Amino acid sequence: MELHSDSLYKGLLQSPELSEYILETAVYPREPELLKEIRIITENHPLSIIASAPDSGQLISLLLKLINPKKTIEIGVFTGYSLLLTALAIPRDGKITAIDLDRDAYEMGLPVIKKAGVEHKINFIQSLALTVLDELLEDHENRGSFDFAFVDADKVNYQKYHERLWKLLKVGGIIVYDNTLWFGTVVMPEGSVMEERREDRLHIIEFNRFLAADDRFQISQVSLGDGITICRRL
Ligand code: SAH
Ligand code: CA
């Protein structure tokens, strides 16, 4: 795998070997068996490249343990790696509103979620995420009530999700955005980026600029996985 190439390599570190080192040393040995199972099932999916990165997942899991959230939301479930990770980390009475257009992918991982005994924490909604967020906002009791959100869906809508999540989140609540370094393409000249990544590259660049100036949140851009940005509502 080439350094800074636009390849399938998910990590952003200076060498793929370093990224592999983190996975092999710190992440895989600690990865819960059932998460590993979802990861391996997902390898059979033609779009397996879009599954969440286990190293950023490990940080999210730690973050969830610190904040102990009861009411959470996930936008972009796919086969459920981040969903199971969240369900395992939140308390017994914690809930996840999990939204994805694709029920088939969710059902690929669902048997593992059931085996883990955490299905009762999950309310899966097959829908466009914006529709669900707007419905949630109609009920005023939802405003300022969420402790945590994970956003990992269509990059073009990140800013729209952000405006809605801001209203849904408690002060002190956390949003984590995935793919905020977009395969490292945010610093590549457009011409060297594979065509199917160009449009989202621009959305991510714009979103990162926007977040950096958004004084309603404390932020941290973390270069694990494909880049995640952690935002705390002030
Ligand atoms: N978090 C997942 C990966 C998500 S991949 C994991 O841990 O593996 C992105 C997902 O977003 C896809 O499953 C796709 O169906 C979903 N998605 C894309 N646009 C969407 C939209 N507008 N509304 C809801 N889901 C969407
Ligand atoms: Ca992702």
Side-chain angles (χ1 to χ4, degrees):
M1 275 177 267
E2 254 178 78
L3 175 62
H4 296 313
S5 81
D6 198 11
S7 68
L8 289 184
Y9 165 59
K10 277 189 191 174
L12 296 156
L13 292 172
Q14 288 199 358
S15 69
E17 291 77 12
L18 202 45
S19 189
E20 205 51 40
Y21 172 82
I22 293 177
L23 289 171
E24 297 293 342
T25 313
V27 181
Y28 293 150
R30 295 288 195 120
E31 191 181 36
E33 270 319 301
L34 294 168
L35 266 187
K36 215 181 277 291
E37 208 173 309
I38 285 208
R39 185 157 57 75
I40 287 161
I41 289 174
T42 305
E43 284 170 9
N44 296 320
H45 194 290
L47 292 175
S48 62
I49 176 77
I50 68 175
S52 291
D55 48 353
S56 42
Q58 190 177 48
L59 175 63
I60 292 167
S61 179
L62 187 131
L63 205 58
L64 287 166
K65 284 291 181 195
L66 287 172
I67 58 180
N68 204 36
K70 289 231 167 23
K71 206 171 164 186
T72 76
I73 189 161
E74 174 162 307
I75 300 177
V77 170
F78 190 45
T79 55
Y81 188 89
S82 53
L83 181 61
L84 177 57
L85 177 140
T86 305
L88 290 171
I90 65 176
R92 208 174 321 207
D93 58 345
K95 295 278 180 255
I96 311 168
T97 301
I99 313 162
D100 204 300
L101 283 167
D102 182 357
R103 181 179 286 275
D104 292 342
Y106 170 64
E107 284 178 353
M108 260 180 98
L110 188 55
V112 186
I113 288 175
K114 287 186 175 159
K115 213 192 308 179
V118 291
E119 195 198 359
H120 65 281
K121 298 181 183 177
I122 298 167
N123 176 24
F124 178 81
I125 305 174
Q126 182 182 22
S127 168
L128 279 170
L130 273 180
T131 312
V132 177
L133 293 175
D134 285 335
E135 278 168 15
L136 286 171
L137 281 168
E138 275 170 26
D139 180 350
H140 278 253
E141 288 200 356
N142 284 322
R143 294 184 179 226
S145 75
F146 282 80
D147 304 291
F148 178 83
F150 179 59
V151 180
D152 190 14
D154 48 339
K155 315 307 164 199
V156 60
N157 281 317
Y158 270 26
Q159 207 157 321
K160 289 187 177 144
Y161 298 147
H162 188 70
E163 288 311 317
R164 287 155 179 83
L165 289 171
W166 173 67
K167 293 179 187 153
L168 289 169
L169 219 61
K170 279 181 188 159
V171 170
I174 301 278
I175 314 175
V176 174
Y177 290 98
D178 195 27
N179 307 104
T180 54
L181 295 173
W182 201 236
F183 304 91
T185 62
V186 291
V187 293
M188 291 176 187
E190 188 174 69
S192 70
V193 176
M194 52 166 86
E195 236 172 272
E196 59 265 38
R197 289 191 184 151
R198 288 187 190 165
E199 206 178 307
D200 284 334
R201 169 182 169 274
L202 294 177
H203 295 309
I204 290 288
I205 289 173
E206 197 186 322
F207 183 64
N208 287 341
R209 200 183 296 134
F210 168 82
L211 271 189
D214 185 356
D215 56 15
R216 299 168 298 175
F217 287 86
Q218 175 188 3
I219 68 164
S220 173
Q221 163 81 71
V222 184
S223 56
L224 270 178
D226 192 29
I228 59 174
T229 303
I230 303 171
C231 310
R232 186 175 68 94
R233 186 185 162 176
L234 298 171

